[in-house]
Amino acid sequence: MPGIDESRTFIPVRIAVLTVSDTRDLSEDRSGQTLVDRLKDAGHLLADRQIVKDEIPAIQALLKDWIANEEVDVVISTGGTGVTGRDVTPEAFTALYEKEIPGFGELFRMLSYQKIGTSTIQSRATAGVAGGTYLFALPGSTGAVKDAWDDILVHQLDYRFMPCNFVELFPRLQEHLKRSKS
């Protein structure tokens, strides 16, 4: 049965929060604030928080900075995952992935389906790894952020969660670089 192994020590993860929006500022960013509150309540560290416009170059420039920053382990974004013309977050993220984590989007939509039915098909939530950094792109609604954090990320970003979690894989995320140097 999955759950927390109390014999393991909690390891705080350094998380950057990105809101993708043409219209929001920090005072109006409820989804971003929800992520910040939840990650801190879980014992993690807020590495940075930014808002960028729905533009691939702007999103990727910030992602590249965070991926290169050793003080950022995880990036979680909110917004821009729909199907309208301005929704470009998945395109910005997937172009940077070294490895995609397709199960994240699949699981998110399965969980979301239980709450909003077939409307979940409009979400293009995605996840992957780049430069040893986990990247998660969530929809912009506060409900979607709560669902992704409460039902997936709070567990996978907790080293104590068994049978496995993303945190225990950090040391191995860049193994391919060591092999290519040999």
Side-chain angles (χ1 to χ4, degrees), residues 4 7 23 44 57 107 116 166:
I4 298 295
S7 70
T23 59
H44 298 296
L107 179 57
I116 64 168
F166 286 136

Side-chain angles (χ1 to χ4, degrees), residues 2-181:
I4 298 295
D5 179 348
E6 296 294 344
S7 70
R8 298 180 98 178
T9 302
F10 178 80
I11 299 173
V13 175
R14 299 165 297 191
I15 303 172
V17 174
L18 168 61
T19 298
V20 177
S21 175
D22 288 335
T23 59
R24 294 183 197 164
D25 62 23
L26 284 179
S27 69
E28 300 166 331
D29 183 18
R30 290 189 0 230
S31 296
Q33 189 59 49
T34 297
L35 279 172
V36 169
D37 293 343
R38 278 176 157 62
L39 74 88
K40 286 182 174 181
D41 288 347
H44 298 296
L45 306 170
L46 179 63
D48 198 0
R49 180 179 179 190
Q50 299 287 328
I51 296 178
V52 298
K53 297 208 177 290
D54 292 277
E55 297 169 358
I56 290 174
I59 296 166
Q60 288 184 337
L62 184 55
L63 289 177
K64 287 175 182 177
D65 285 347
W66 282 341
I67 290 165
N69 185 340
E70 293 184 10
E71 298 300 312
V72 176
D73 301 313
V74 174
V75 174
I76 306 174
S77 76
T78 175
T81 63
V83 296
T84 70
R86 293 293 296 157
D87 293 323
V88 296
T89 304
E91 288 79 9
F93 272 57
T94 57
L96 299 180
Y97 292 161
E98 292 165 7
K99 293 194 183 256
E100 188 173 5
I101 307 171
F104 175 79
E106 295 162 358
L107 179 57
F108 173 80
R109 284 181 285 280
M110 183 197 78
L111 294 167
S112 182
Y113 177 79
Q114 296 169 12
K115 297 176 182 179
I116 64 168
T118 58
S119 295
T120 193
I121 201 166
Q122 294 184 30
S123 166
R124 297 186 303 140
T126 183
V129 179
T133 303
Y134 289 108
L135 307 173
F136 299 96
L138 310 178
S141 77
T142 304
V145 166
K146 289 177 182 177
D147 292 345
W149 180 267
D150 296 348
D151 297 336
I152 305 171
L153 295 174
V154 73
H155 306 297
Q156 283 299 299
L157 296 177
D158 190 330
Y159 177 72
R160 303 167 302 166
F161 188 80
M162 299 304 284
C164 59
N165 59 76
F166 286 136
V167 178
E168 63 193 358
L169 299 178
F170 276 124
R172 299 181 52 208
L173 292 179
Q174 294 193 16
E175 289 173 329
H176 63 291
L177 298 176
K178 294 174 189 164
R179 279 193 306 241
S180 65
K181 290 180 182 177

